[in-house]
Amino acid sequence: MKKTVLFASIFAVFASLPASAGVKSGVRLGSVQLTDAKDRDVIVLPPCRVSANDNINQISFKVKGYGAEIDHLKVVYQNGEKQTLTVKDHFKVDSSSRWISLNGNNRCIAKIVVKGDTNTRFFRPG
């Protein structure tokens, strides 16, 4: 039986933040769970112009629970266009990714598909 663990929360920077502020902050878009085998999970966002979903130009994520290896993120925009963000990196517990710029102008996201796995193979709780 595979153990399911909490992996990450995806964050986004709203386009309305001033570019000159120099400080990146964001809003939580959702979270996914990955297992210790190659896995994928999806964050489905509400329609555009809802308080929880606005036009954005960057995303970042934070790893919680266990370390993880993230292969890539597939971003599907509300207009149907898709963008694959190659990550291919290992992340320790409570670490964050860099801010990843999205192609084009600020756009609204319909869903984010996360592909990767957690580092729990030899983990023994307690």
Side-chain angles (χ1 to χ4, degrees):
M1 183 172 130
K2 292 181 183 175
K3 180 190 292 186
T4 301
V5 295
L6 179 64
F7 149 71
S9 294
I10 304 291
F11 292 85
V13 172
F14 282 90
S16 60
L17 292 177
S20 62
V23 177
K24 304 277 190 224
S25 62
V27 61
R28 182 175 187 261
L29 295 179
S31 64
V32 296
Q33 293 183 344
L34 300 174
T35 62
D36 60 1
K38 290 296 178 190
D39 199 3
R40 71 184 279 270
D41 201 358
V42 180
I43 297 170
V44 178
L45 295 157
C48 294
R49 294 174 193 35
V50 173
S51 63
N53 194 7
D54 201 352
N55 292 333
I56 62 171
N57 57 9
Q58 298 181 55
I59 62 173
S60 176
F61 59 86
K62 182 172 183 174
V63 175
K64 295 183 176 184
Y66 298 93
E69 179 180 1
I70 306 305
D71 295 328
H72 63 271
L73 308 173
K74 181 178 175 183
V75 178
V76 179
Y77 299 100
Q78 291 285 342
N79 66 1
E81 291 181 16
K82 299 173 187 168
Q83 179 181 357
T84 299
L85 307 171
T86 302
V87 178
K88 293 201 185 262
D89 205 352
H90 295 271
F91 295 88
K92 294 180 179 179
V93 178
D94 293 325
S95 66
S96 298
S97 73
R98 63 182 169 77
W99 284 97
I100 304 168
S101 295
L102 302 175
N103 289 341
N105 295 328
N106 299 338
R107 296 191 273 175
C108 188
I109 296 175
K111 68 180 178 179
I112 301 170
V113 180
V114 180
K115 291 190 179 181
D117 64 276
T118 58
N119 301 327
T120 60
R121 178 159 281 156
F122 300 108
F123 179 78
R124 303 228 188 278

